[in-house]
Amino acid sequence: MTLAPSTTRGGTAGVNRFTPDQLLRTARLFASDPDLERHVDLTATERQWTVLDSTPHLQIWLLTWPEGTGTGWHDHVESAGAFLTVRGHLLEQSWHGRRAESRSLKAGDGRSFGPRHVHHVANAGVGAALSIHLYTPRLTAMTRYAVTPDGLRAKGIERAGVDW
C-alpha cells in the first residue's frame, strides 16, 4: 500500500495503490461480514450487483449470481482487480493467446488480476452464488469481446461502475 495525498475533494491522505495480495486480502475481509447477504436478493433470476464502498482508488462490489448466469467475455480496461467466491461455485475462463483456460472457484476461493485481464465468469453450481469484487482504480469501463474462429475480437467498450 502506498500512502499519498488523495485526489478526493478533502485532500486527506489515503491509500491509492494496491498489490494483488492486498486486493485479495481486502476481498476476504469484506466476505467475512456475517450480514453480507442482507445487501442482495438471493432469489433473483438475473445477476445483481451493489457497490459496498467506493473511492477514486478502490471500488468494492457484491455480486449475486443466479444459477446459470455469467458475464460474457470482458476486461476491466485500466482497472486491476480481485474477486472471491463467498457462496456457491464460480467458473472463470481466462483468455490466453488463442484459447481459454478454466479455473474453478468454490466458496473461499479467490484470485487477483491485472488491467486488461480478459475473462468470462459464470455460476457453475446449483443455486445462487455470491462474490466480492474489487477494482483499482475504480471501475469505469469494460471492453466486451466476441469469440471468433481467430480468437477474441473486441466488440466495444461500455461504461461500467458508479461514478461517485
Side-chain angles (χ1 to χ4, degrees), residues 117-135:
H117 172 73
V118 179
H119 67 169
H120 165 73
V121 181
N123 180 346
V126 176
L130 192 63
S131 57
I132 295 284
H133 297 245
L134 283 77
Y135 303 101

Side-chain angles (χ1 to χ4, degrees), residues 11-149:
T12 57
V15 178
N16 66 4
R17 279 186 253 162
F18 299 84
T19 68
D21 287 342
Q22 289 167 330
L23 289 172
L24 203 47
R25 281 197 308 269
T26 303
R28 289 189 194 291
L29 176 66
F30 273 77
S32 70
D33 180 352
D35 295 326
L36 197 59
E37 291 182 9
R38 72 180 157 83
H39 295 286
V40 296
D41 176 6
L42 292 172
T43 64
T45 57
E46 294 184 18
R47 268 187 336 118
Q48 297 178 19
W49 47 90
T50 186
V51 176
L52 299 176
D53 201 1
S54 184
T55 73
H57 307 293
L58 181 67
Q59 194 169 50
I60 303 168
W61 297 37
L62 175 64
L63 274 71
T64 308
W65 305 79
E67 193 171 322
T69 60
T71 61
W73 288 97
H74 68 283
D75 70 23
H76 306 100
V77 187
E78 297 300 323
S79 297
F83 69 97
L84 179 92
T85 304
V86 177
R87 169 187 172 153
H89 178 196
L90 297 178
L91 179 68
E92 179 197 34
Q93 293 178 293
S94 300
W95 199 263
H96 297 281
R98 299 187 76 171
R99 63 184 177 83
E101 293 180 3
S102 296
R103 176 180 292 179
S104 178
L105 298 129
K106 295 188 174 154
D109 294 339
R111 61 129 41 255
S112 56
F113 51 86
R116 304 267 180 209
H117 172 73
V118 179
H119 67 169
H120 165 73
V121 181
N123 180 346
V126 176
L130 192 63
S131 57
I132 295 284
H133 297 245
L134 283 77
Y135 303 101
T136 184
R138 171 182 20 189
L139 182 63
T140 59
M142 296 189 326
T143 307
R144 291 289 179 178
Y145 294 88
V147 178
T148 71

